[in-house]
Amino acid sequence: MSCYGASGFCDIRRRLGSRWGRAVLGGLLLLLTLPSLLPLDPYRVDLEAILIAPDAAHWLGTDETGRDLLARLLVGGRATLGIALGATLVAMALGTLVGALAGYRRGVTDALLMRLVDFGLAFPSLFAVLLVASLVPPGPVPLVLVIGATSWMAAARLVRASVRQLHGAVYTEAARSLGASAGRVIRRHHLPNLAGVLVVIGLVQFSRSILAEATVSFLGFGVQPPAPTWGNLLMGAQTSVFTAPWLALAPGLAITLTLTALASLGIGGPPSRLPHLVTDTHHHAHPESAPEDSHHLPLRPAPRLAAPADLAPAAGAARRAAG
Amino acid sequence: MIAFLLRRSVELLLTLGVLVLVVFVVLRLAPGGPAQVLLGPDRYTPALEARVNHVLGLDRSLPEQVGRWVRSVFAGELGVSYFHRRPASEVVLERLGATLLLGGLAFALSLAAGVSVGVLAAARQGSRLDRLLSHGAVAVIATPSFWLGIGLILLCSVWLGILPSAGLAPVGREGDLGARLRHLILPVVTMAASHAASLALYTRSAVLSVLASDFVRTARAMGASTRRVLWRHTLSAAAVPIITVAGLTLAHFLEGSIVVETVFGWPGIGQLTTASVARRDYPVLLVISLWAGIVVVTANLMADLLTRWMDPRTVEE
């Protein structure tokens, strides 16, 4: 299909459609589906084979009750990625809703919603996740909701900025003057144009959610053992790190490799080819690294290459020229 | 300037108020309150739970509880820890030093390392060094800090045996400065790593975009040395976005402390947080969130002020 119009969308489609992009997405899909198809038993206790280092029978070794680490890693990966996927969808839905509303309505609605966003950003999100995780019985569904509910702000900011930009477009004005309702303009005209931005932000959000799940489970407030996730595998590994280091290495590597692969999608290619204007689309630490649409200080020069700005159509062209 | 400060302060105080209020209400809505934890499974009876709740004031209506708490805060009382049976502020203050030491050093390290690596990579843009540093940074960001911590413990404590793996200092040698410093190295590096890496990438791109501007070319044309152009002209222009990001990062050191303190058995606020969440120690959690709010809010204010000072253009609003 030819690509015209919203160049952000073209850019991300080009990146995801490249051989590298397909490899990464395919790998993730495999991680999500494979454990259901393979005859893995992550719970089978084998007291004859406690804390065995990696060998032919147990490729990644066994843990303190003789369970096979490879099986636990694969099943745990499905849990971690599944939770992250769900949380991303929740965050994207919330963020798009809030951002579109704020960008479209402006005025008081906008001001109030953006205060809410600021508040959400100021709140240390891990703290929020821990608080809520301690209130409800731990499990995958609460985790999806909690991580989603504490990470929608970046998407909201970006969608708001894009909607404001699109709002000035002639076709929007035309649609409105023909009597289209706000909902219709947002649904039919804005959202399709936002697709590219949303996909990119979704990818970033996905890596952050993987980290969030791993962190919460590592601290013991996430999915409870014996059910494995990458995070609680690491929690379990910490106690025997001196005697069985392989238990810590494999889950950690799995997380790092997944996140690096996701980050490379944002950069636009295999890690060997770094375009010359790169920055943190894969950033997990500060969700709003570039307050491009900052409403406090309109003159603050927007750092051009920070995550949200990097996603702007113009930057896409720059990257093409560079890469 | 004063008007700006005043307005920001009011805004920030409001944010702080809302934050603590939200925490308060969320905690009270929790099923299974502190009574169950305090009594333990053996002594637990519904009658005893009701009595505990009555003593703690948890049987009153939510608005009443909020009102009582707000009044006591203004009277300087932040509540008594259910678990420690001491003023919650005292419990938190005891731990504050350790966290501030760890966080402060880690912040300084990430700032120094991040900015220098970023400038270095930008100065050698496209070179093998640049690629190495940039890819290294991407990889570090993709590494969860708790795994990095475990990895460093494996490497330095288990295999090389050169650094201690946990705690503030060896038991009985708390006064030994060298030993204390050695205990600091791994947690500080773990905490600083991902922030340093993201700051490096950020600095690199900020510096690169400034390097492309006209005044840099002019400075070069006038014969300024590369070093002067880089450190004097470019970095001061690139500083504003870097400061903004660093300010926001500071807030995230709070979250970092929760994870890093757990990995390294560091007796600070982070460990206290996870323990208090598990114990349902509401007063302590409220004090911690108040403290966290103050840190976040001050960090943002400082970043704003620094930005205004560095770049006068941002003053006109």
Side-chain angles (χ1 to χ4, degrees):
Chain A
M1 205 170 102
S2 67
C3 237
Y4 47 83
S7 58
F9 192 40
C10 287
D11 193 45
I12 188 64
R13 272 222 352 224
R14 198 178 49 78
R15 274 191 260 165
L16 293 181
S18 71
R19 196 177 295 170
W20 175 251
R22 266 183 271 166
V24 172
L25 292 183
L28 288 175
L29 207 65
L30 267 184
L31 272 178
L32 269 171
T33 51
L34 205 59
S36 323
L37 306 176
L38 293 176
L40 298 171
D41 187 355
Y43 303 110
R44 204 174 69 91
V45 172
D46 181 357
L47 296 176
E48 309 262 286
I50 288 171
L51 291 178
I52 288 183
D55 62 11
H58 302 282
W59 291 0
L60 294 179
T62 60
D63 68 5
E64 64 284 346
T65 51
R67 292 172 297 194
D68 182 55
L69 183 59
L70 181 63
R72 294 185 64 72
L73 190 72
L74 286 174
V75 173
R78 185 183 52 187
T80 295
L81 294 178
I83 289 168
L85 194 65
T88 305
L89 293 178
V90 170
M92 297 303 294
L94 266 174
T96 308
L97 192 71
V98 172
L101 207 64
Y104 194 89
R105 286 279 180 194
R106 307 203 177 190
V108 182
T109 318
D110 182 28
L112 279 178
L113 287 176
M114 286 338 269
R115 283 283 125 215
L116 191 69
V117 168
D118 280 351
F119 179 71
L121 285 173
F123 202 94
S125 56
L126 180 58
F127 190 62
V129 173
L130 283 190
L131 275 186
V132 182
S134 70
L135 304 184
V136 289
V141 176
L143 266 186
V144 164
L145 295 178
V146 172
I147 296 176
T150 51
S151 60
W152 52 272
M153 290 80 68
R157 279 205 162 185
L158 214 64
V159 168
R160 170 176 175 272
S162 305
V163 165
R164 282 175 81 109
Q165 200 188 339
L166 292 171
H167 210 61
V170 181
Y171 64 83
T172 315
E173 226 175 290
R176 259 189 321 216
S177 54
L178 284 170
S181 66
R184 186 180 164 82
V185 171
I186 291 177
R187 254 197 337 274
R188 301 278 308 186
H189 299 285
H190 289 347
L191 283 185
N193 272 309
L194 287 175
V197 174
L198 287 179
V199 171
V200 177
I201 257 286
L203 281 175
V204 177
Q205 202 61 61
F206 186 54
S207 345
R208 283 188 196 143
S209 305
I210 292 176
L211 261 181
E213 189 284 324
T215 308
V216 176
S217 293
F218 173 75
L219 292 172
F221 294 95
V223 174
Q224 298 297 309
T229 76
W230 285 348
N232 72 20
L233 283 178
L234 276 168
M235 171 176 74
Q238 216 200 343
T239 50
S240 48
V241 69
F242 292 99
T243 47
W246 59 87
L247 289 177
L249 289 178
L253 265 181
I255 297 175
T256 302
L257 287 180
T258 309
L259 293 185
T260 315
L262 279 171
S264 72
L265 283 185
I267 292 170
S272 62
R273 204 161 47 83
L274 199 74
H276 84 154
L277 298 179
V278 165
T279 168
D280 50 356
T281 47
H282 43 268
H283 203 288
H284 68 274
H286 22 78
E288 78 289 36
S289 37
E292 193 204 15
D293 55 334
S294 169
H295 41 280
H296 309 304
L297 299 170
L299 282 178
R300 177 187 291 171
R304 267 188 50 225
L305 304 161
D310 196 31
L311 314 175
R319 192 183 303 103
R320 256 195 300 284
Chain B
M1 188 62 186
I2 289 171
F4 167 79
L5 263 183
L6 265 178
R7 203 170 31 126
R8 290 288 293 176
S9 309
V10 171
E11 251 177 59
L12 297 176
L13 277 179
L14 275 177
T15 310
L16 209 58
V18 175
L19 182 127
V20 176
L21 213 61
V22 168
V23 174
F24 191 94
V25 173
V26 166
L27 284 177
R28 292 307 190 271
L29 293 176
Q36 286 180 14
V37 182
L38 284 174
L39 291 169
D42 301 336
R43 280 189 298 161
Y44 177 79
T45 60
L48 267 180
E49 183 183 13
R51 256 184 64 196
V52 171
N53 281 342
H54 181 72
V55 172
L56 298 177
L58 293 172
D59 54 348
R60 296 163 197 267
S61 72
L62 194 59
E64 204 183 332
Q65 289 188 44
V66 173
R68 279 162 60 96
W69 191 71
V70 170
R71 243 174 297 147
S72 70
V73 168
F74 278 109
E77 288 283 322
L78 287 168
V80 176
S81 160
Y82 300 159
F83 182 80
H84 297 273
R85 317 259 162 100
R86 285 186 297 139
S89 49
E90 204 180 292
V91 174
V92 173
L93 268 179
E94 271 172 15
R95 306 284 199 111
L96 197 59
T99 295
L100 284 182
L101 179 70
L102 185 62
L105 283 178
F107 185 66
L109 177 65
S110 72
L111 210 59
V115 171
S116 357
V117 167
V119 171
L120 198 64
R124 302 254 188 289
Q125 188 204 337
S127 69
R128 202 171 288 170
L129 180 71
D130 176 26
R131 282 212 298 276
L132 186 75
L133 291 177
S134 306
H135 290 310
V138 171
V140 169
I141 291 172
T143 307
S145 60
F146 49 90
W147 188 56
L148 185 67
I150 295 175
L152 286 176
I153 290 178
L154 262 181
L155 184 71
C156 299
S157 309
V158 181
W159 291 332
L160 299 176
I162 48 174
L163 287 172
S165 64
L168 269 179
V171 181
R173 282 172 56 202
E174 278 80 4
D176 184 346
L177 190 68
R180 295 200 66 165
L181 282 179
R182 277 154 47 84
H183 275 83
L184 266 169
I185 295 177
L186 289 186
V188 166
V189 169
T190 305
M191 205 169 181
S194 76
H195 295 296
S198 55
L199 211 57
L201 285 181
Y202 205 84
T203 305
R204 177 180 179 275
S205 56
V207 167
L208 278 183
S209 69
V210 176
L211 276 179
S213 62
D214 288 343
F215 70 86
V216 169
R217 200 177 44 200
T218 309
R220 277 210 175 118
M222 288 174 71
S225 67
T226 307
R227 181 175 299 176
R228 192 179 156 79
V229 166
L230 210 56
W231 291 103
R232 174 87 191 83
H233 296 277
T234 307
L235 200 58
S236 64
V240 171
I242 296 174
I243 289 171
T244 311
V245 170
L248 295 167
T249 314
L250 190 59
H252 288 274
F253 272 84
L254 288 175
E255 301 182 2
S257 75
I258 295 181
V259 174
V260 172
E261 287 179 10
T262 303
V263 174
F264 288 98
W266 190 264
I269 302 278
Q271 273 204 344
L272 185 65
T273 307
T274 41
S276 301
V277 166
R279 292 178 201 138
R280 302 280 153 84
D281 202 339
Y282 298 160
V284 172
L285 283 174
L286 280 168
V287 175
I288 292 176
S289 61
L290 196 65
W291 178 76
I294 291 173
V295 171
V296 172
V297 149
T298 333
N300 284 339
L301 185 64
M302 301 266 275
D304 267 5
L305 286 176
L306 257 177
T307 311
R308 287 162 70 92
W309 178 63
M310 300 284 296
D311 186 355
R313 279 177 305 171
T314 51
V315 174
E316 295 118 87
E317 289 190 36

